[in-house]
Amino acid sequence: VKSVSSMLRKKMKLDDQSEPSLVPAAGEFTLSRFANTPKPKLTHDSHASHLTSKFMTITEGQQRDPGHGDARIVASGNAESYWQRVYRIELKLSAALRNVVLPTEVAACYDPIAYAGELHRAYMDRFLDGPKHVLFIGMNPGPWGMCQTGVPFGYVPAVRDWMGLRGTVQKPEGELSVRPVEGLSCTREEQSGKRWWGLFEELCGSAEAFFRCCFVYNLCPLAFFHKSGRNITPSELKGNAKGEIQAIAEQHLAEALQVLQPKIIISVGRYTEDRVKTLIKQNKLDATAIRTLCIAHPSPRSLNNTNWNEKAKRWLEENGIMPFLKHTSSQ
């Protein structure tokens, strides 16, 4: 993916060797414009702060554990945990995406892994303790779900009450007044997340029962909004940005899968399924070793998506996923 400076050099036809301006051309901007800087925090139920993970900062030059090669790093006397290896890839993905020049229709870009990082890390720390048999892959954050909580399909009651997570959430840079971030205090309902986690609460009972064999991961950590507040999905982006974001997301998904090592990948929606198929075509994913499936996205915006709950249960049954969701599953 071209850097902002190289893209601008080509666009402005700069032939001299002077340092190019990092200011985007008129009508364009980059994700780095929305780099998340510390903002006033939104707190919720601080009495349960023991559920919030403390992420270990690991910097270049720290001692590597010779017994594990480059896969694990010794920091402050402790080896990097499993979930932190995946989280490191997410941070690299976010950084790479900030070099993409976005189309003019995008007025704001939210990165909940950054400003809702405390909740996101709590989710990873609590539920990603090792490889899971089934990996669900979503597309990107929704305005009233992950944008509020840092958790995929992050319907607030599910994150707060069912998963039992707590944490502070900062304000994103460039926040739109029509898309406010209120963290766990948000009262707006994310319909996709309400359907998604409502289904698995019904099937599994507890969050621990679901995450025993399953995990939910997102392809793209960023949310894009029109100035009106309309959500713009990665599939709806225009121009070069769409292809660049897809390529970056695919590259980092392939890297994450090397760590996650699922036996079954379930894409949530066709857009994510297409990215997985691309990895198979590029020989970055072995379809003979990993079973790949696609379940309908729970979004009410999707066509013919009424009665999603019953359709999803039937799909899970027909595709042999139910044994991984039962209270008594021993898989």
Side-chain angles (χ1 to χ4, degrees):
V1 177
K2 298 179 181 178
S3 66
V4 174
S5 58
S6 64
M7 292 182 70
L8 292 175
R9 179 179 292 277
K10 181 176 180 181
K11 178 180 285 292
M12 299 173 68
K13 299 181 180 179
L14 298 177
D15 297 323
D16 60 84
Q17 299 301 313
S18 61
E19 185 68 21
S21 171
L22 295 181
V23 179
E28 295 182 335
F29 61 86
T30 67
L31 301 189
S32 58
R33 169 179 169 185
F34 294 97
N36 294 286
T37 55
K39 297 291 180 180
K41 294 182 177 181
L42 303 170
T43 60
H44 187 92
D45 287 357
S46 58
H47 69 277
S49 60
H50 65 282
L51 294 177
T52 301
S53 66
K54 300 294 184 182
F55 178 63
M56 181 193 310
T57 301
I58 301 172
T59 58
E60 292 297 325
Q62 289 178 313
Q63 180 184 358
R64 294 183 180 275
D65 183 352
H68 295 86
D70 291 341
R72 300 174 71 86
I73 297 177
V74 176
S76 303
N78 296 314
E80 185 180 31
S81 65
Y82 180 81
W83 72 266
Q84 288 172 337
R85 294 168 61 192
V86 179
Y87 179 62
R88 180 192 293 277
I89 296 169
E90 290 183 315
L91 294 179
K92 286 172 54 183
L93 170 57
S94 290
L97 289 173
R98 282 196 288 271
N99 288 322
V100 176
V101 177
L102 295 173
T104 56
E105 65 173 342
V106 178
C109 176
Y110 290 7
D111 183 358
I113 286 180
Y115 66 79
E118 192 170 303
L119 266 174
H120 180 73
R121 293 190 296 270
Y123 167 73
M124 302 280 282
D125 186 17
R126 184 166 185 177
F127 297 120
L128 189 59
D129 55 353
K132 306 293 183 178
H133 198 104
V134 179
L135 179 68
F136 293 93
I137 303 178
M139 182 166 53
N140 76 313
W144 309 117
M146 187 171 179
C147 281
Q148 304 294 328
T149 65
V151 175
F153 296 101
Y155 177 56
V156 170
V159 172
R160 181 190 59 216
D161 306 327
W162 190 57
M163 298 181 196
L165 300 179
R166 300 292 186 272
T168 57
V169 176
Q170 299 173 341
K171 287 285 190 177
E173 186 75 14
E175 181 186 43
L176 296 177
S177 60
V178 291
R179 286 291 179 264
V181 170
E182 300 172 330
L184 293 177
S185 298
C186 179
T187 58
R188 293 287 297 268
E189 291 189 343
E190 177 86 345
Q191 292 303 313
S192 294
K194 184 177 183 179
R195 288 179 170 185
W196 180 263
W197 293 119
L199 170 65
F200 293 114
E201 181 177 6
E202 176 187 345
L203 295 176
C204 302
S206 68
E208 287 72 19
F210 171 80
F211 288 105
R212 185 181 302 124
C213 298
C214 305
F215 192 70
V216 183
Y217 187 78
N218 260 5
L219 175 72
C220 175
L222 307 181
F224 310 98
F225 298 108
H226 185 269
K227 64 181 180 181
S228 66
R230 176 174 58 85
N231 186 33
I232 303 173
T233 66
S235 63
E236 295 169 337
L237 288 170
K238 298 176 182 178
N240 294 334
K242 180 176 181 178
E244 290 178 12
I245 288 174
Q246 285 181 182
I248 294 171
E250 289 165 359
Q251 173 191 342
H252 288 80
L253 176 60
E255 187 176 349
L257 290 174
Q258 291 294 317
V259 180
L260 292 166
Q261 299 180 2
K263 300 298 183 183
I264 302 173
I265 293 175
I266 302 178
S267 301
V268 185
R270 296 300 177 188
Y271 179 82
T272 304
E273 181 187 33
D274 288 343
R275 309 285 71 75
V276 172
K277 286 181 176 179
T278 297
L279 295 184
I280 294 174
K281 291 178 181 178
Q282 295 174 345
N283 294 318
K284 295 180 180 179
L285 182 64
D286 185 359
T288 64
I290 301 177
R291 186 182 176 202
T292 58
L293 301 167
C294 179
I295 189 172
H297 196 285
S299 173
R301 293 176 61 186
S302 300
L303 296 175
N304 302 317
N305 213 21
T306 56
N307 200 23
W308 180 85
N309 183 284
E310 293 304 316
K311 292 178 180 177
K313 283 192 286 188
R314 185 164 58 250
W315 185 94
L316 292 167
E317 190 71 53
E318 292 173 351
N319 286 278
I321 307 302
M322 283 297 193
F324 302 103
L325 302 172
K326 300 295 185 182
H327 296 261
T328 57
S329 174
S330 59
Q331 298 290 337

